[in-house]
Amino acid sequence: GDKLGYQFYEANCSACIELNKEWELISTAYKGRVKVAKINMTESENEVLEDQIQLSKYPSIRFYKSGPKKVS
């Protein structure tokens, strides 16, 4: 199945902004092997997601394999 990597961040977080730069490099380096995405958790539509995946600190990175089953 597909391997998925998500970076969860807050728009006003300085550590998140720094990680965004590295995440872009990771996206390029693993293109075709791992699908990566960034999700801004300060957007109201992502509040439900925050509860579902139990995030408490940002930035956070999670990897999944074809769906919601957590890999690491």
Side-chain angles (χ1 to χ4, degrees), residues 20-37:
N20 281 341
K21 297 171 190 174
E22 298 299 321
W23 197 244
E24 292 295 328
L25 294 173
I26 290 167
S27 174
T28 302
Y30 288 91
K31 188 173 186 171
R33 294 186 289 172
V34 178
K35 295 177 182 179
V36 299

Side-chain angles (χ1 to χ4, degrees), residues 8-27:
F8 301 94
Y9 71 97
E10 291 183 330
N12 59 350
C13 163
S14 60
C16 298
I17 293 167
E18 287 300 313
L19 183 59
N20 281 341
K21 297 171 190 174
E22 298 299 321
W23 197 244
E24 292 295 328
L25 294 173
I26 290 167
S27 174

